[in-house]
Amino acid sequence: MLDQLNQLEEKALAALEATKDSDALAEWNRRYLGKKGVLTLMLRSVGELPRDERPAFGRAANGVKVKLEAAYEAQEQALRRAELARELEQGALDVTLPGRPVGPGHLHITTQTLRQIYAIFAEMGFQVYESPEIETDELNFGLLNMPPHHPARDMWDTFWIGEEALLRTHTSPGQIRVMRERANTTCSDPEPIRVILPGKCYRYEQITARSEHQFYQVEGLAVGHGITLTDLIGALTEFARRLYGPERKIRIRGSYFPFTEPSIEADMDCILCGGEGCRVCKYSGWLEIGGAGMVHPVVLRNGGYDPAEWSGFAFGLGVERPAMLKYNIDDIRLFYGNDLRFLRQF
Ligand code: FA5
């Protein structure tokens, strides 16, 4: 059997050297390495050998396979080079032809959605405030009313950079940054706040059709005198109606976030079935918009605002998930897969 293998190797290499064009090369590949090729059949017949001869034969046959594959690639390149040289000699290859044109491109679907969200909130008086993607443990958790070992930290699995710094799991730490900035102005009193905080967030979690390990959020924060839950519900209702159509209805459910009290989850009636129940809303009639609530007194105080005088609301919206709903996209992984066939559709 080993002799047969050696003969096969010699014969195959000689035949390979004799190939003169890509057709002959493909034929060689089919004959020796293809599914029904000589070597493949020989490898399959290993079971017919006496048990003690099988390992040595298997090793040798795999060695021949590796050699033949490498020789095939080398020959393929040599033939391609020869073909190019021939074309150059005959002047058939015009090296002065211009390359493929690069089109002007357009905004990514996430950027388009972000801009729609900015425009909606701008009309309600919200400024855009940017805060960093790399945060401290204190800002991402501690000052948001989640001291070390607080069980609510488990809701946000984190990418750590050393002991103290991390990739933010949500845009909420920006609440503290903007409050501290506006509380410490040259005027003696803190300023009222109405901002949205857009940006990328990171979570160490399983990637699925609905969850990425990096995604965008838009945080909203309003702090003032006499701000109530009704203002929050009004802002979210307005947002849903502007993005998805004036007939949208909003549903509020009680929820829990350590940095808001009370905390709510806002849903809107399903844009596809109008609340009848379908695959997109999992037959519930409702779709999640995001988490929200009244800013917790501890968070207001951490931001430099006295909760006896000030109140505020905050919300956190996804960006890709609303875009998925709006454009009927069924897999979040498409957003950052860099496939132009997908991106050109928007
Ligand atoms: C939060 O992140 C809170 N910080 C929101 C908040 C802000 C509550 C202010 C109260 C006050 P949550 O983990 O539910 O909450 O995320 C908010 C939104 O981010 C989700 O509704 C969803 O649209 C989006 N999101 C969360 N995780 C992912 C993910 N892995 N992939 C894509 N989108 C995600």
Side-chain angles (χ1 to χ4, degrees), residues 10-26 28 31-32 71 75 79:
E10 267 175 39
K11 201 170 148 202
L13 288 175
L16 184 64
E17 220 170 294
T19 56
K20 291 283 170 270
D21 56 36
S22 56
D23 285 348
L25 193 66
W28 180 92
R31 175 171 302 173
Y32 290 98
Q75 179 71 353
L79 285 179

Side-chain angles (χ1 to χ4, degrees), residues 203-253:
R203 290 187 194 176
Y204 180 58
E205 64 182 29
Q206 182 79 35
I207 296 176
T208 66
R210 274 181 59 75
S211 295
E212 259 292 1
H213 65 273
Q214 50 173 335
F215 55 94
Y216 278 82
Q217 280 188 348
V218 175
E219 188 92 2
L221 175 70
V223 178
H225 296 293
I227 290 187
T228 66
L229 193 61
T230 324
D231 298 313
L232 167 60
I233 296 171
L236 291 175
T237 307
E238 187 62 16
F239 164 72
R241 291 188 175 159
R242 294 275 185 98
L243 194 61
Y244 297 105
E247 66 285 3
R248 291 281 69 85
K249 286 197 284 285
I250 293 286
R251 175 178 79 169
I252 301 299
R253 286 179 286 129

Side-chain angles (χ1 to χ4, degrees), residues 106-118 198-201 212 214-218 243 318-324 327 329 332-337 342-343 346:
H106 71 290
L107 294 178
H108 190 278
I109 175 172
T110 305
T111 312
Q112 292 181 41
T113 311
L114 276 168
R115 290 189 178 186
Q116 283 170 10
I117 297 175
Y118 299 163
K200 221 174 209 184
C201 304
E212 259 292 1
Q214 50 173 335
F215 55 94
Y216 278 82
Q217 280 188 348
V218 175
L243 194 61
V319 176
E320 292 85 356
R321 285 190 195 162
M324 287 167 78
Y327 300 108
I329 299 165
I332 196 167
R333 288 167 285 201
L334 290 166
F335 280 74
Y336 306 112
F342 168 74
L343 296 173
F346 306 99

Side-chain angles (χ1 to χ4, degrees), residues 144 155-156 169-173 175 201 203 205-206 210-220 256-257 259-260 263-265 288-294 313-322 324 332:
L144 291 172
M155 296 204 286
W156 295 286
T169 54
H170 51 177
T171 40
S172 300
Q175 289 187 30
C201 304
R203 290 187 194 176
E205 64 182 29
Q206 182 79 35
R210 274 181 59 75
S211 295
E212 259 292 1
H213 65 273
Q214 50 173 335
F215 55 94
Y216 278 82
Q217 280 188 348
V218 175
E219 188 92 2
Y256 171 72
F257 296 101
F259 33 91
T260 44
S263 301
I264 60 165
E265 229 30 92
E288 169 196 310
I289 304 185
M294 298 305 292
F313 67 69
F315 55 80
L317 311 168
V319 176
E320 292 85 356
R321 285 190 195 162
M324 287 167 78
I332 196 167

